[in-house]
């Protein structure tokens, strides 16, 4: 049996791997993609959001989150909580109803689908006969009333979803009590709204789309009142005492109706068109909220004049003489008002308005003068401007953390200070073990700093680079120029703004040093900004420097966009990260790689033309290196150029086909010497890697031609203090890897601190390595004498890492798209390599060093490579022997943007975009796991309707 075992199989190691590695998708950060429905439970104080893909998400206090997914993946049309229960009903666009419950399972509570049901009509009836348009969960918690397109209302028992046919409210029964001159065959088509009487649960208000409204007696099965509207009905709302209700209509009007026992056919008390007299859009939803001071809050969606404001997405709030039309930048899906839900309360006294728009959640404080917005602790609109890059920094020092929060708090002075109003449940998750930052770069030139320590991704601070440049829009322009007499009184709210003043402002690379507070950001037009953190507002001149990456080349002409124009003279910056130097690459191509060494005060940057090194202390360019190949004409067209040579693309394709055929014939017709070389190589590998597990199938790597386009594209930059010239002296160095499989190494001479400003930094090229297969280099790493990765700059100085071992020999790890290769230093001789194991064209897309700790003991941890491939798989590979430890499927291989957006953390977690507005968080570690844990007070309702609380249940939410 021994010969069938793989070499290197170790049961002890297998047990250790189980203690180190485990794959989990833990939580989704951000705003749900394509939301379609909104629900709210005043009793649980939980909010539910449904999406077009069939997902349903529940949110309460920060950290209280639940998620479910309908198997059908149909659009969620409506969400209704069952009164005083931990249950809710969803209606999908396939006309199916689903009952969900928060129930205890194995000591934890989870959102679980209990039943599903589709309303069916008699044989031969049209689909409209049972197409559900309105849902009313009755306060008895025993039945649902389902209004349909045919005008009939069906009664369904809960939780069994059994249709109670003897209690169906037919349109014929309703029309018996309506005056004959109003009756026609279309009067009762399509039930638009169902509302239970707030004081009498035996009466429900039924609104039909053509304007007819009736009050139905459930006990006697008859109409008690009818209200004859002349306009198409949109929605209904009861006033708290049940003496009046409001109807809103398609023509932009709303009507107030009295309800009294002595008048069965009342006339409207008031009919009002808020933004008339010109034709207006429909008012689709309305609230009438009573207050102690007597002046009601009238809150409605829509109603704007069609001609001038027909494209606006607005919700108007009217309170006495105060009126504001909140203007949203995306379509309003739904909204609700948080008000006093105590049955004994005399007034509504609204406190907040919660609006679900298509691209963001906005909460308005109705208690504070001016009705300011409330800063949301979750459901952040990550894509308020399109995300262009991400950067994660683990274990932020407390001082830097507090300074970033302080800078962010000065930006949030316009937000309300009210506590978050949706506060159901209690977060019992342990405090995060460390402070983590996720930085996102955006198309509009901003960088957002997110608290990624726990379940809630919370915005701490926003940095804008726009002030450095001259753009079409002045950053000092007021986004809300509202005159006192302007009508309608529109006010922009929300942060979603998909329009960029200039696409060249887009942020492409970010690098933050958490020890020094230096930040480097690079953009689409070759701009590299170096910043430092300042706790106060400041006004200063930003120094400029140019890096001509084509200075030694002739005959090249840049066809892409121009560089951004900079402001002359001093520029005023807010407290926070403030740029002090700008390096402009020429040609102004996209910056493709960036590295910052805050101890040496150096920043390195690369584009598709080459790379350069800049001394940001002396504000001096150290050197530039052009990596452009004579065939790299595409590199000169720029990312915004839309014209590419079809002839050249076809020519390159045919060349690749021809090369592959020729190389295939050569392999088939090879001489005996080649086979001898192969045998020698195999023997060398076997001797050198006795401990290494050999892969069962290894993919053949075909050499690429230097004529392939973008070979000079700089993919990675890396600073290291290592042995580059000889084995006795180590020195600072800069490494660069290109798309053509070339690695450049430069020796750096950095003057000591006392002479740092007097002597220049000098650089000299020491090595140039050309990988034989010419695959793009995506990662470079130097391992010290103990085979540990070199620490980050200033990490040893802050006593957060051991000093690297400079006694033993160092090793260089070069990661290309197709293989991992270890070289000895300083000779740069090949030591071992690992080819990717895949026949279907597997290639490395992302690679990082991650520290994995054992879940069984705190004494053991190890550094490994976390690798993401173009197939969406994540592989963990050991250092320094390059043994594949485990492989997990993570992202669909068709999800190219998700794979491109993935970012790993230092401790075995990761983030990737599952939509433009959502990050999926995953963990590869058994020890580092961030997931929701919460307690929800389960209601228990006794026969006399008094509410008690059961013991809380712990919830560990996992994504389906």
């Amino acid at each position: 049996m021994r010969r069938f075992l793989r070499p290197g199989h170790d049961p002890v190691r297998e047990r250790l791997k189980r203690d180190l590695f485990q794959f989990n998708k833990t939580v989704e950060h951000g705003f749900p993609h394509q939301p379609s429905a909104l629900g709210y439970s005043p009793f649980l104080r939980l909010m539910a959001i449904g999406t077009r893909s069939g997902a349903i998400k529940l949110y309460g206090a920060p950290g209280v989150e639940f998620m479910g997914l309908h198997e059908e993946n149909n659009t969620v049309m409506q969400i209704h909580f069952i009164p005083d229960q931990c249950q809710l009903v969803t209606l999908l666009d396939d006309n199916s109803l689903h009952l969900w419950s928060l129930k205890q399972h194995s000591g934890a509570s989870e959102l679980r689908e209990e039943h599903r049901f589709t309303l069916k009509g008699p044989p031969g009836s049209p689909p409209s006969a049972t197409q559900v348009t309105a849902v009313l969960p009755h306060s008895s918690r025993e039945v649902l009333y389902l209004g349909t397109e045919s005008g009939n209302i069906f009664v369904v028992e809960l939780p069994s979803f059994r249709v109670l046919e003897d209690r169906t409210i037919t349109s014929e029964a309703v029309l018996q009590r309506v005056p004959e001159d109003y009756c026609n065959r279309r009067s009762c088509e399509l039930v638009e709204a169902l509302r239970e009487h707030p004081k009498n649960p035996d009466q429900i208000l039924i609104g039909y789309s053509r304007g007819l409204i009736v009050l139905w007696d459930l006990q006697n099965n008859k109409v008690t009142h009818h209200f004859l509207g002349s306009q198409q009905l949109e929605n209904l709302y009861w006033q708290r005492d049940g003496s009046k209700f409001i109807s809103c209509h398609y023509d932009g009007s709303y009507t107030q109706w009295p309800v009294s026992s002595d008048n069965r056919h009342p006339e409207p008390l008031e009919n009002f068109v808020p933004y008339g007299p010109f034709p207006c859009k429909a008012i689709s939803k309305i609230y009438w909220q009573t207050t102690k001071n007597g002046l009601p809050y009238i809150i409605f969606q829509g109603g704007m004049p069609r001609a001038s404001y027909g494209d606006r997405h607005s919700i108007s709030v009217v309170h006495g003489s105060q009126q504001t039309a909140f203007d949203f930048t995306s379509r309003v899906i739904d909204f609700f008002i948080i008000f006093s839900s105590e049955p004994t309360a005399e007034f509504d006294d609204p406190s907040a308005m919660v609006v679900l728009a298509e691209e963001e959640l906005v909460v308005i404080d109705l208690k504070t003068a001016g009705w300011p917005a409330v800063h949301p602790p979750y459901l952040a609109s990550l894509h308020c401007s399109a995300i262009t890059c991400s950067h994660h920094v683990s274990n932020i020092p407390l001082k830097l953390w507090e300074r970033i929060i302080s800078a962010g708090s000065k930006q949030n002075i316009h937000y309300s200070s009210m506590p978050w109003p949706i506060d159901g449940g209690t977060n019992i998750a342990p405090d995060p073990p460390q402070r983590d930052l996720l930085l996102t770069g955006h198309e509009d030139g901003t960088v957002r700093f997110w608290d990624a320590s726990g379940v809630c991704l919370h915005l701490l601070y926003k940095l804008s680079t726009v002030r450095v440049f001259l753009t079409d829009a002045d950053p000092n322009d007021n986004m809300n120029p509202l005159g006192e007499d302007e009508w309608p009184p529109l006010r922009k709210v929300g942060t979603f703004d998909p329009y960029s003043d200039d696409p060249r402002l887009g942020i492409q690379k970010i690098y933050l040093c958490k020890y020094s507070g230096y930040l480097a950001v690079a953009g689409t037009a070759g701009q590299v900004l170096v910043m430092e953190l300042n706790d106060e507002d400041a006004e200063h001149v930003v120094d400029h420097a140019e890096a001509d990456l084509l200075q030694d080349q002739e005959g090249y002409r840049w066809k892409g966009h121009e560089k951004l124009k900079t402001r002359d003279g001093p520029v005023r910056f807010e407290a926070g990260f403030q740029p002090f130097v700008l390096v402009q690459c020429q040609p102004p191509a996209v910056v493709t790689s960036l590295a910052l060494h805050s101890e040496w005060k150096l920043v390195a940057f690369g584009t598709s033309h080459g790379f350069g090194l800049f001394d940001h202390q002396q504000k001096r360019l150290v050197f530039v290196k052009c990596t452009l190949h004579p065939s790299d004409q595409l590199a000169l067209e720029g990312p915004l150029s839309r014209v590419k040579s079809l002839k050249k693309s076809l020519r390159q394709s045919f060349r690749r086909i021809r090369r592959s055929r020729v190389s295939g014939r050569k392999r088939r017709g090879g001489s005996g010497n080649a086979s001898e070389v192969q045998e020698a190589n195999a023997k060398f590998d076997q001797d050198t890697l006795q401990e290494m597990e050999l892969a069962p199938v290894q993919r053949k790597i075909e050499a690429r031609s230097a004529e392939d386009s973008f070979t000079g594209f700089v993919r990675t930059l890396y600073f290291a203090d290592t042995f580059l010239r000889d084995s006795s002296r180590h020195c600072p160095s800069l490494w660069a890897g290109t798309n053509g499989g070339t690695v450049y190494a430069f020796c750096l001479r950095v003057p000591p601190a006392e002479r740092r400003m007097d002597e220049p930094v000098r650089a000299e090229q020491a090595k140039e390595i050309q990988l034989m297969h010419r695959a793009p280099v995506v990662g470079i790493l130097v391992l010290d004498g103990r085979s540990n990765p070199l620490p980050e700059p200033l990490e040893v100085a802050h006593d957060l890492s051991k000093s690297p071992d400079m006694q033993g020999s160092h090793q260089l790890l070069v990661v290309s798209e197709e293989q991992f290769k270890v070289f000895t230093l300083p000779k740069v001789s090949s030591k071992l390599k690992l080819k990717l194991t895949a026949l279907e064209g597997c290639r490395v897309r992302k690679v990082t060093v991650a520290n994995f700790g054992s879940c069984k003991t705190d004494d053991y941890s190890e550094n490994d490579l976390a690798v993401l491939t173009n197939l969406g798989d994540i592989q963990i590979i050991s250092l320094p022997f390059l043994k594949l430890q485990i492989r997990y499927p993570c992202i669909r291989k068709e999800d190219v943007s998700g794979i491109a957006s993935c970012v790993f953390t230092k401790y075995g977690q990761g983030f990737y975009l599952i939509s433009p507005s959502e990050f999926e968080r995953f963990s590869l570690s058994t020890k580092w796991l961030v997931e929701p844990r919460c307690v929800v007070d389960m209601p228990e309702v006794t026969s006399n309707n008094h509410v008690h609380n059961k013991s809380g249940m712990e919830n560990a939410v996992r994504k389906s």
Side-chain angles (χ1 to χ4, degrees):
M1 291 294 295
R2 187 172 290 179
R3 62 180 175 164
F4 292 102
L5 293 175
R6 280 190 191 178
H9 182 78
D10 183 356
V12 177
R13 178 62 188 172
E14 292 301 314
R15 284 196 298 272
L16 182 58
K17 281 159 62 173
R18 288 195 291 271
D19 296 342
L20 292 172
F21 311 122
Q22 183 181 12
F23 179 74
N24 290 293
K25 291 185 178 180
T26 56
V27 67
E28 293 176 2
H29 296 302
F31 185 76
H33 184 51
Q34 295 182 329
S36 56
L38 178 69
Y40 178 68
S41 169
F43 182 73
L44 298 174
R45 299 183 73 83
L46 292 177
M47 172 181 66
I49 294 176
T51 70
R52 291 190 202 171
S53 60
I56 178 170
K57 301 184 179 185
L58 270 62
Y59 300 92
V64 178
E65 295 185 14
F66 297 89
M67 178 178 170
L69 188 64
H70 295 88
E71 289 183 7
E72 296 82 357
N73 288 345
N74 288 81
T75 298
V76 180
M77 303 298 292
Q78 297 183 36
I79 302 174
H80 300 273
F81 280 88
I82 308 300
D84 301 341
Q85 294 288 307
C86 276
Q87 291 183 313
L88 63 152
V89 171
T90 56
L91 172 67
L92 305 190
D93 65 350
D94 64 353
N95 206 40
S96 62
L97 288 159
H98 302 255
L99 179 66
W100 297 81
S101 298
L102 284 169
K103 284 201 169 182
Q104 188 168 8
H105 176 68
S106 301
S109 67
E110 59 185 21
L111 183 64
R112 189 189 302 171
E113 186 177 357
E114 298 287 327
H115 297 285
R116 65 186 64 188
F117 163 77
T118 301
L119 188 62
K120 292 184 172 63
S125 61
S128 62
T130 53
Q131 183 69 43
V132 178
T133 56
V135 179
L136 172 63
H138 195 262
S139 60
S140 66
R141 303 177 294 279
E142 296 174 352
V143 294
L144 286 178
Y145 290 90
L146 306 177
T148 63
E149 280 189 5
S150 63
N152 296 327
I153 298 165
F154 296 89
V155 186
V156 177
E157 190 178 50
L158 288 176
S160 64
F161 278 136
R162 183 170 64 92
V163 179
L164 305 177
E165 296 182 3
D166 57 325
R167 295 173 62 176
T168 300
I169 304 171
T170 65
S171 55
E172 290 79 9
V174 170
L175 290 174
Q176 286 178 2
R177 292 296 188 100
V178 177
E180 289 187 8
D181 58 344
Y182 194 84
C183 290
N184 63 57
R185 63 182 182 85
R186 299 184 63 189
S187 292
C188 287
E189 281 188 4
L190 204 154
V191 178
E192 197 70 60
L194 292 171
R195 298 287 181 266
E196 182 180 335
H197 195 293
K199 299 297 183 183
N200 184 359
D202 291 332
Q203 293 183 334
I204 62 171
L205 199 61
I206 307 170
Y208 297 93
S209 62
R210 291 182 62 80
L212 173 64
I213 305 166
V214 300
L215 188 62
W216 182 265
D217 186 339
L218 298 173
Q219 290 290 335
N220 301 310
N221 288 328
K222 66 176 185 179
V223 172
T224 62
H225 296 69
H226 55 264
F227 311 87
L228 307 180
S230 59
Q231 291 292 333
Q232 181 177 322
L233 180 71
E234 292 289 323
N235 221 318
L236 299 171
Y237 186 79
W238 277 108
Q239 291 189 24
R240 191 179 188 90
D241 60 2
S243 64
K244 305 182 191 71
F245 70 87
I246 312 295
S247 63
C248 54
H249 301 275
Y250 181 77
D251 66 343
S253 67
Y254 64 81
T255 304
Q256 191 175 23
W257 303 86
V259 179
S260 61
S261 57
D262 55 349
N263 187 356
R264 304 294 181 178
H265 172 38
E267 294 294 324
L269 293 176
E270 178 189 25
N271 184 48
F272 187 57
V273 183
Y275 296 111
F278 301 106
C280 295
K281 293 187 70 177
I283 294 179
S284 56
K285 189 171 184 178
I286 191 165
Y287 281 83
W288 185 291
Q289 301 276 280
T290 57
T291 60
K292 293 176 183 176
N293 65 9
L295 292 173
Y297 277 85
I298 305 169
I299 304 168
F300 55 90
Q301 177 184 345
M304 284 280 137
R306 285 186 180 276
S308 304
Y309 300 93
D311 59 341
R312 300 299 180 101
H313 313 289
S314 69
I315 295 178
S316 299
V317 180
V318 183
H319 181 57
S321 60
Q322 188 178 2
Q323 179 168 348
T324 299
F326 293 100
D327 186 13
F328 300 87
T329 55
S330 59
R331 184 171 62 91
V332 174
I333 304 298
D334 201 355
F335 76 102
F336 62 83
I337 306 299
I338 297 178
F339 57 91
S340 175
S341 58
E342 292 293 327
T344 56
E346 187 178 352
F347 302 101
D348 294 309
D349 284 329
S351 58
M353 177 174 70
V354 181
V355 183
L356 176 66
E358 201 166 35
E359 305 292 354
E360 62 186 328
L361 184 82
V362 178
V363 178
I364 303 296
D365 177 2
L366 298 177
K367 287 287 189 185
T368 305
W371 302 331
V374 182
H375 196 56
Y378 48 71
L379 287 174
S381 181
L382 299 175
H383 64 316
C384 44
S385 173
I387 293 177
T388 48
C389 65
S390 304
H391 176 65
H392 188 276
V393 188
S394 299
N395 209 5
I396 302 291
L398 179 60
K399 186 175 181 181
L400 176 64
W401 186 263
E402 290 174 341
R403 293 177 71 189
I404 291 173
I405 290 177
S406 174
S409 63
K410 294 176 183 177
Q411 296 177 334
N412 295 334
I413 57 175
H414 301 298
Y415 282 102
S416 166
S417 59
M418 85 176 298
W420 183 244
I422 305 165
D423 54 4
T426 306
N427 178 23
I428 60 165
D431 290 335
Q434 61 186 32
R435 295 167 294 273
D436 288 354
L437 273 179
L438 179 66
L439 282 67
T440 53
H442 297 265
E443 191 179 44
D444 62 354
T446 59
V447 178
R448 285 169 168 81
F449 290 64
W450 305 92
D451 178 359
S453 313
V455 172
C456 296
L457 195 68
H458 181 62
L459 181 64
L460 299 178
Y461 165 69
K462 184 179 83 169
L463 162 71
S464 177
T465 62
V466 177
R467 288 183 179 274
V468 180
F469 306 102
L470 288 169
T471 60
D472 295 336
D474 190 337
N476 297 315
D477 284 349
N478 184 3
M479 293 298 291
N480 264 326
L482 180 62
E484 293 183 5
D485 300 326
E486 184 170 335
W487 190 260
L490 289 164
R491 189 174 108 199
K492 284 264 187 204
V493 284
T495 59
F496 179 71
D497 183 12
Y499 305 107
S500 174
D501 296 330
D502 193 327
R504 296 174 295 173
L505 290 168
I507 305 297
Q508 297 295 331
K509 295 292 174 183
I510 306 170
Y511 197 104
L512 171 66
C513 175
K514 62 186 178 184
Y515 303 111
S516 64
Y518 282 114
L519 171 70
V521 297
T524 303
Q527 70 271 29
V528 180
L529 285 163
V530 186
M531 312 184 186
E532 58 185 343
L533 192 54
N534 190 345
D535 298 327
E536 302 295 333
D537 294 3
E539 188 172 0
H540 60 258
V541 175
V542 178
D543 290 296
H544 296 170
E546 282 211 352
D548 183 5
L549 298 173
L550 297 180
Q551 59 183 8
D552 298 329
Q553 305 290 324
E554 294 182 0
Y556 288 103
R557 186 171 61 86
W558 171 247
K559 304 172 187 175
H561 51 263
E562 296 180 354
K563 68 177 184 179
L564 285 161
K565 295 179 181 177
T566 55
R567 293 180 182 273
D568 296 327
V571 181
R572 184 159 188 81
F573 298 102
E574 299 175 340
F577 286 94
Q578 299 172 350
F580 61 89
V581 67
L582 164 67
V583 183
Q584 178 62 58
C585 298
Q586 288 289 12
V590 173
V591 177
T592 56
S593 54
L594 185 69
L596 177 72
H597 200 295
S598 49
E599 189 174 358
W600 301 337
K601 304 290 193 299
L602 299 174
V603 60
F605 48 88
T607 71
S608 53
H609 306 120
F611 60 97
L613 181 67
F614 186 81
D615 178 353
H616 65 76
Q617 183 167 359
Q618 292 189 10
K619 297 175 183 173
R620 170 183 167 274
L621 189 66
V622 179
F623 78 89
V624 292
K625 170 73 176 178
C626 180
T627 57
L628 206 60
H629 188 272
S631 68
D632 279 349
Q633 289 300 320
L634 286 180
L636 292 168
E637 293 191 0
L640 303 181
S641 172
R642 295 290 177 259
V643 182
K644 294 191 176 181
S645 170
L646 179 61
K647 289 182 180 179
K648 182 164 187 176
S649 300
L650 290 171
R651 188 164 61 245
Q652 289 173 343
S653 299
F654 283 120
R655 280 178 181 171
R656 289 194 188 97
I657 294 170
R658 191 162 56 246
R659 282 199 304 272
S660 64
R661 288 174 178 169
V662 170
S663 60
R665 284 197 296 270
K666 285 181 179 177
R667 284 194 294 272
R668 287 194 295 272
S671 64
N673 292 334
S675 61
E676 291 173 10
V677 171
Q678 287 179 351
E679 289 176 9
N681 287 341
K683 186 174 186 306
F684 170 78
D685 287 344
Q686 190 173 357
D687 294 339
T688 309
L689 309 176
Q690 293 179 14
E691 301 298 321
M692 182 173 174
E693 181 180 0
L694 295 177
V697 181
Q698 289 198 333
R699 182 172 167 264
K700 293 177 181 177
I701 298 176
E702 180 179 319
R704 307 184 190 196
S705 167
E707 295 179 4
D708 287 351
S709 291
F710 288 110
T711 55
F713 187 116
V714 179
R715 292 285 291 269
T716 183
L717 291 163
Y718 178 70
F719 285 106
D721 187 355
T722 187
F723 301 93
L724 198 53
R725 292 195 177 279
D726 55 57
S727 56
S728 59
R729 288 177 299 172
H730 57 89
C731 66
S733 62
L734 172 65
W735 302 76
T738 72
N739 224 34
T742 306
V743 177
Y744 300 95
F746 281 75
C747 275
L748 306 178
R749 184 188 171 279
V750 181
E754 61 272 11
R755 301 196 303 276
R756 183 65 178 81
M757 289 300 293
D758 303 326
E759 298 179 12
V761 175
R762 301 194 182 278
E764 182 181 354
Q765 184 169 338
K767 309 283 183 186
E768 182 174 335
I769 307 166
Q770 178 63 61
L771 301 179
M772 295 302 293
H773 59 291
R774 298 183 184 273
V777 177
V778 295
I780 297 172
L781 183 68
V782 171
L783 306 176
D784 69 4
R786 290 188 292 264
S787 298
N788 292 322
L790 296 182
E792 296 178 19
L794 297 176
E795 192 173 9
V796 175
H798 284 75
D799 297 326
L800 294 172
S801 175
K802 294 180 181 178
S803 297
D805 184 353
M806 292 297 187
Q807 304 303 316
S809 60
H810 285 198
Q811 301 172 81
L812 170 69
L813 171 64
V814 177
V815 181
S816 74
E817 282 190 355
E818 301 184 357
Q819 72 177 17
F820 303 78
K821 198 162 188 176
V822 175
F823 300 88
T824 60
L825 286 177
K827 291 186 177 180
V828 195
S829 56
S830 176
K831 184 176 182 181
L832 60 92
K833 66 182 176 182
L834 171 68
K835 299 175 185 176
L836 281 194
T837 308
L839 296 173
E840 58 267 41
C842 182
R843 295 190 178 184
V844 175
R845 285 290 177 259
K846 306 275 181 174
V847 61
T848 194
V849 176
N851 183 268
F852 293 92
S854 170
C855 62
K856 297 289 181 63
T857 173
D858 292 334
D859 299 333
Y860 183 79
S861 67
E862 66 181 42
N863 292 308
D864 297 289
L865 290 177
V867 179
L868 175 69
T869 72
N870 63 326
L871 303 179
D873 293 337
I874 290 180
Q875 302 179 13
I876 299 175
I877 296 171
S878 67
L879 288 174
F881 297 112
L882 301 183
K883 291 175 67 174
L884 177 63
Q885 301 299 298
I886 204 157
R887 178 189 285 116
Y888 300 111
C890 180
I891 311 173
R892 292 181 302 107
K893 64 180 180 181
E894 298 83 10
D895 186 4
V896 177
S897 60
I899 292 171
S901 66
C902 183
V903 57
F904 288 109
T905 78
K906 193 177 178 181
Y907 295 98
Q909 296 187 64
F911 303 82
Y912 68 92
L913 288 172
I914 54 175
S915 74
S917 59
E918 290 172 290
F919 274 114
E920 176 81 73
R921 187 178 192 135
F922 62 87
S923 174
L924 306 170
S925 169
T926 57
K927 189 173 182 180
W928 298 90
L929 198 66
V930 174
E931 60 182 354
R933 298 183 68 83
C934 51
V935 167
V936 176
D937 290 326
M938 303 292 284
E940 181 180 292
V941 183
T942 60
S943 57
N944 59 359
N945 285 342
H946 289 294
V947 178
H948 304 278
N949 287 333
K950 286 184 181 177
S951 60
M953 297 194 304
E954 185 176 319
N955 170 42
V957 181
R958 295 287 179 116
K959 182 176 182 295
S960 302

